[in-house]
Amino acid sequence: MRNDLTLDWPKEGLRRVPYEIYARDDVYAQERERIFEGPVWNFLCLEVELPSPGDYRATFVGDMPVIVARNRDGTIHAFENRCLHRGAMLCLKPGSSKEITCVYHNWTYDLTGKLTGVAFQRGVNGKGGMPPDFSIAGRHLRALHVTIFAGLVFGTFSDDTPPIEAYLGPEISMRIRRVMAKPIKLMGGVSQYLHSNWKIYADNLRDSYHASLLHMFFTTFKLNRLSMQGGIIVSENGGNHVSYSKMATDTNVDYDTATLRAKQEDFGLEDQTMLAGRDEFGDGITLQILTVFPGFIMHQIQNSLAVRQILPKGVDETELNWTYFGFDDDDAAMRDLRLRQTNLVGPGGYISMEDGAVVNFVQRTLPGGMGDASIVEMGGAGTASQDTRVTESAVRGFWRTYRDRMGI
Ligand code: FES
Ligand SMILES: [Fe+2]
């Protein structure tokens, strides 16, 4: 049931975000229905994570457990990870099988989510069992529509979600294809808990100007500075974005006189190998951070490539899953470089660990912030693409789509 959400958004519109939006239980409950189960594409996994028929894995859509599986005919299916009997989670880890069996009372399902068997349906020795009018036929775990775009598997519960390319927009589609240009090879994954509401991290990702202020490693070792050529592209609906920069174009202007906390000229790295990169996409772009509403991220930072999944775990906890990859045709040196650069980006990454801390710094002030709002005015009031990263355009874009979805 869709209830009305009473929330007074400040009159300044997208230039303000009321702190209560991150803290209210009723908002969190409504997000489940209006966002994650609504007309959005949720990232489920990389296609390469299900290489063979019979492969399946557990994931989430919002905080709902979901299974994504490759059926024996090769097609990919996704369905809720909740047994039709009495609600046990069916699957906890990746596996490969002809069917999925619930551990609790052994109801079985095929890899499309269809119920195929009920243990002791006829009872034992003529006693007990399900009533004669109980039928297995036509029972199915709640299914998602699945689409695959450039090796990424997305799912949606809604019949009204636009086709994936229309949902992404041409600019974002192009920049996903830019990275996913050839067969990929999985390198591994990690998961971390962020002690904050999921939207504080969604803001953080779309805020390109914090990177060279918060992340000292970025600025000190000149991996990412706002004086480099770069920009922000925001999709037409606002929800998806790309920010990019080119390391070789650093003019260093504006950094010489500034007293930036993040700029430490008297530091050097003994081992420079981590900073060396190869221009593997041939366009000089050394950093590309891409998001898709609500919870998908793809990054290319030097030669570190990964996708991330933002999974809310309650109003004030969030799980962040990272999956790193390279390409099938990587030579040994490239593989080594990617592994080294895994130190840059991840839960303890030299240029990303501060994000895990700072989202909690925001979270911790929420109790005193009810009735107040954040200021989101860098780069103006709109959500347009800009050829600078000194802007919060993509943050406003997120809130535009969020408000549309939530009916605020
Ligand atoms: S809860 Fe799954 S078989 Fe009983
Ligand atoms: Fe960051």
Side-chain angles (χ1 to χ4, degrees), residues 39-42 161-169 235 237 240 292-294 401:
V40 303
W41 284 110
N42 297 283
T161 313
I164 187 73
E165 282 208 57
Y167 183 84
L168 296 169
S235 66
N237 64 8
N240 317 322
V292 177
F293 188 89
T401 293

Side-chain angles (χ1 to χ4, degrees), residues 255-276:
Y255 279 84
D256 291 338
T257 52
T259 49
L260 291 178
R261 184 195 66 93
K263 184 191 166 202
Q264 306 281 321
E265 291 293 9
D266 48 347
F267 276 85
L269 279 179
E270 286 274 318
D271 178 357
Q272 293 282 329
T273 51
M274 197 176 3
L275 302 184

Side-chain angles (χ1 to χ4, degrees), residues 201 204-205 207 210-211 214-215 218 351-352 354-355 358:
Y201 189 66
N204 171 274
L205 284 161
D207 155 10
H210 84 271
L214 173 68
H215 305 301
F218 250 155
I351 54 172
S352 58
E354 298 91 344
D355 293 319
V358 86

